[in-house]
Amino acid sequence: MPPTESRAAPQPGRVGPLRSLWLAFSWLTVAPIGTPTVTMDRRAGRAAIAVTPVVGAALGAVAAAAAFGMAHTRAPDLLVGVLVVALLALTTRGMHVDGLADTADALGCYGPPERVREVMRDGGVGPFGVAALIGAAAVDAICIGTLTGENRWYAIGFAIGSSRIAAVVGCRWTRGPADSTGFGALVAGTQRWSIACWILLAAAAAYPLGVRGFVAVAIVVVGSWLFTAHCARRVGGVNGDLLGAAIELSTIAALLAFVL
């Protein structure tokens, strides 16, 4: 997940909305915008996580535009889906898929939270992680290809954008960090009212999609709440890998809501 420090000189004080967006995009995407000069503390972490769905909306727009463009070529719908999934992995530095693999491997082991965190920190990918990556990529590609064939561009963008609410839900006020250092220490337990705000905004954005749009929002919110609660118990708190896994699984759930 994103680094916990900035090489630039820190700037104390409140992190404003524009600086929050700047920080979130620099953390969560490959956008060549540099890193704002802010103190990397829980104030900055709270501000960046609170605007993470904006990053998701931008990524969703990029994915939908890419699918729309490739739909006007001779590429089969499934190939379009595969290429869009690859594009999303590249634009997010592969952080979320890495988090999914690490979380799958960690949940697949037995032992106390210390052992689970040790597996998460291991640089390799085990059998559970490989299975999770292949399964997630396959489902995403098939769903995006199906939606491409049906010209449902907004549904593609909405599914990807709304999935980032999972990160906000995962950082809710009742969950502490798994470790005293790292990304989780910056963001765990920092979100409260932002959760309600994003649920309402997502519900409003889902209106053009009808019932399936509202179902997608509900699945993302409830599913990420339950998933992060379970993982936090196993891991001993929230960390970056857990949040990345929640985002990836929420993307799958939202896409499935539109194709099943």
Side-chain angles (χ1 to χ4, degrees), residues 17-240:
L18 291 179
R19 195 170 292 271
S20 300
L21 284 170
W22 184 3
L23 180 60
F25 274 94
S26 69
W27 267 1
L28 303 173
T29 73
V30 295
I33 57 176
T35 303
T37 53
V38 298
T39 302
M40 290 301 176
D41 55 13
R42 285 180 62 79
R43 179 188 291 111
R46 178 175 62 247
I49 290 296
V51 297
T52 295
V54 178
V55 179
L59 292 171
V62 169
F68 176 80
M70 286 186 284
H72 290 78
T73 68
R74 297 178 61 186
D77 293 339
L78 182 56
L79 177 59
V80 172
V82 170
L83 293 175
V84 170
V85 171
L87 175 64
L88 286 172
L90 290 173
T91 53
T92 58
R93 296 192 186 93
M95 290 183 297
H96 305 325
V97 292
D98 177 68
L100 175 62
D102 288 342
T103 301
D105 281 332
L107 295 179
C109 77
Y110 294 97
E114 293 78 11
R115 171 58 181 161
V116 176
R117 291 196 296 271
E118 180 182 346
V119 173
M120 272 188 162
R121 288 191 290 266
D122 189 288
V125 180
F128 287 101
V130 172
L133 289 179
I134 294 174
V139 173
D140 283 345
I142 293 171
C143 289
I144 292 174
T146 300
L147 293 173
T148 296
E150 298 173 353
N151 298 325
R152 298 170 68 185
W153 320 115
Y154 185 60
I156 294 174
F158 180 82
I160 294 167
S162 63
S163 69
R164 270 54 184 180
I165 297 176
V168 185
V169 171
C171 293
R172 59 190 177 277
W173 69 100
T174 59
R175 296 294 168 188
D179 297 289
S180 58
T181 59
F183 187 68
L186 291 178
V187 302
T190 61
Q191 305 301 309
R192 185 182 294 268
W193 296 111
S194 58
I195 298 174
C197 290
W198 282 116
I199 291 174
L200 291 175
L201 288 172
Y207 180 78
L209 296 166
V211 174
R212 288 181 180 270
F214 298 125
V215 170
V217 174
I219 292 175
V220 167
V221 174
V222 176
S224 60
W225 191 290
L226 296 176
F227 174 75
T228 53
H230 171 70
C231 290
R233 286 193 296 270
R234 290 291 314 278
V235 178
V238 173
N239 61 20

